[in-house]
Amino acid sequence: MLKSFNSLIQMMEAFPDEQSAIDHFTAIRWKRGAFCPHCGSTKVYHFSDGRNHKCGDCRKRFSIRVGTIFEDSKLPLRKWLMAIWLITSHKKGIASTQLAKDLGITQKSAWFVTHRLRHAIRTQSFNRPLDGEVEADETFIGGKEKNKHAWQRTGGKQGGKGKTAVLGMLERGGELRTGTTPNLSAKSVQTVIRDNVKTGAALMTDEHGAFVGLSDAYNHHRVNHSAGEYVRHYILHTNGIESVWALFKRQIIGTHHWLSPKHLNRYLGEMTWRFNLRDMDEGDRVNALLAQTAGRLTYKALKA
């Protein structure tokens, strides 16, 4: 049976022991009935301890954690629930150093915990094409050249030298899509936009050359930032998606301080997932993440 909670203290009171946390996760994962994570059979026998199960077909024993991001983790599920609460309720996420202190674990373990949760978030795809009024904008993520060690500098100050290009699309009143892009060429940018925005939508962008040529599929409006224009006729602007970038950059600067370009998409996915579920109650967001924890992520695969 699912329990309701809307604050961290309520959640910990709802799960006073490990078995209550296991029962809650079991109710979510097996909402449509028990199944074997090895062969998919629904012929499952349950042991009296409430933690172990056995498949009637492949004869393998397993716990509710097998086949999820929690598999092979030594952390109690109650601590996982606390980590989920912290990463889903804080608008700017949580640093692994702080999570380590909050959970009483090492920073290395906390870093792996946060990336397992980002892996679960990644498996939740938002496939509905964006429609209506859609804002698209590009930005660069990365430190300033002057703040880097000499051996890290790539030279130049313009065009995002030494930084990673990212692209975002926001449906006003709807969902967000974000991701890295190899470059800001018209081909790269427009391919992503055409894959994510429904033909015929009203598309708002700035004057970047990568957006030239989208009028064939969209009602395309461009605001000229270089000329000091930011809003036209009250509705033609990209303020929404620019606010998303401001939030993400504050997450980097204020929470993480630095992100590896290798894992940038994972952090973007975390922010995007949290943004798209922004209207949910705190407890519902925890349950939403618990409902999509299928799929393992090993430390070796993460570091590869």
Side-chain angles (χ1 to χ4, degrees):
M1 181 178 177
L2 291 179
K3 294 186 178 180
S4 299
F5 47 88
N6 208 32
S7 69
L8 181 57
I9 188 64
Q10 285 180 2
M11 185 180 75
M12 299 320 294
E13 288 174 348
F15 309 122
D17 51 42
E18 184 66 4
Q19 188 59 49
S20 60
I22 292 172
D23 292 342
H24 184 78
F25 179 49
T26 300
I28 292 176
R29 193 178 185 209
W30 285 351
K31 181 179 180 180
R32 295 179 176 84
F35 61 88
C36 173
H38 300 291
C39 70
S41 171
T42 57
K43 188 178 180 181
V44 176
Y45 301 107
H46 308 285
F47 288 73
S48 59
D49 62 4
R51 300 190 180 192
N52 291 288
H53 316 275
K54 186 175 182 179
C55 177
D57 289 326
C58 71
R59 312 302 295 174
K60 292 182 178 178
R61 291 181 59 167
F62 55 89
S63 72
I64 193 64
R65 291 179 176 229
V66 174
T68 73
I69 60 169
F70 308 129
E71 185 173 350
D72 291 335
S73 171
K74 295 180 181 179
L75 282 184
L77 202 55
R78 290 182 80 242
K79 286 195 174 185
W80 273 104
L81 288 172
M82 291 177 65
I84 291 172
W85 177 277
L86 294 171
I87 203 171
T88 58
S89 66
H90 292 183
K91 289 182 174 60
K92 298 175 185 175
I94 186 168
S96 59
T97 50
Q98 184 61 51
L99 185 64
K101 294 177 182 178
D102 291 342
L103 298 186
I105 58 178
T106 66
Q107 187 273 332
K108 180 179 178 180
S109 295
W111 183 80
F112 191 24
V113 164
T114 57
H115 273 293
R116 286 200 199 190
L117 296 178
R118 292 183 188 107
H119 180 74
I121 287 170
R122 180 188 62 82
T123 63
Q124 175 63 55
S125 58
F126 300 95
N127 294 321
R128 180 185 63 81
L130 304 180
D131 198 6
E133 296 176 347
V134 180
E135 301 175 22
D137 190 36
E138 83 295 337
T139 191
F140 291 100
I141 303 296
K144 296 180 180 179
E145 290 290 287
K146 66 179 182 180
N147 293 335
K148 297 179 181 178
H149 294 292
W151 62 272
Q152 292 177 315
R153 295 173 186 168
T154 57
K157 297 181 180 179
Q158 302 299 321
K161 291 290 185 180
K163 298 185 180 183
T164 303
V166 297
L167 179 67
M169 294 145 289
L170 173 65
E171 178 184 302
R172 291 179 182 171
E175 293 180 351
L176 171 70
R177 308 280 188 276
T178 61
T180 59
T181 180
N183 53 61
L184 291 180
S185 67
K187 181 179 180 181
S188 297
V189 170
Q190 294 186 26
T191 296
V192 176
I193 289 177
R194 293 176 191 273
D195 287 344
N196 287 275
V197 182
K198 188 176 181 179
T199 300
L203 182 65
M204 321 288 178
T205 71
D206 59 21
E207 74 279 17
H208 196 284
F211 299 118
V212 175
L214 288 166
S215 297
D216 64 327
Y218 306 103
N219 184 11
H220 187 195
H221 304 276
R222 305 172 73 201
V223 290
N224 193 349
H225 289 171
S226 60
E229 180 186 43
Y230 293 91
V231 180
R232 190 189 315 148
H233 306 312
Y234 300 103
I235 63 170
L236 305 182
H237 60 78
T238 57
N239 294 345
I241 187 63
E242 288 171 11
S243 295
V244 169
W245 293 142
L247 175 66
F248 185 60
K249 290 179 179 180
R250 294 315 305 173
Q251 176 179 335
I252 296 174
I253 296 170
T255 301
H256 304 296
H257 308 307
W258 180 84
L259 299 183
S260 166
K262 171 184 175 182
H263 298 301
L264 179 55
N265 262 325
R266 297 179 184 272
Y267 289 90
L268 281 169
E270 171 201 334
M271 181 271 296
T272 301
W273 184 90
R274 196 163 46 231
F275 184 91
N276 286 339
L277 274 61
R278 61 193 180 279
D279 293 331
M280 274 190 177
D281 289 336
E282 306 287 351
D284 291 338
R285 269 200 303 272
V286 171
N287 289 337
L289 199 155
L290 284 171
Q292 58 186 72
T293 51
R296 289 188 63 192
L297 176 66
T298 64
Y299 191 78
K300 182 178 180 180
L302 179 61
K303 295 288 288 185

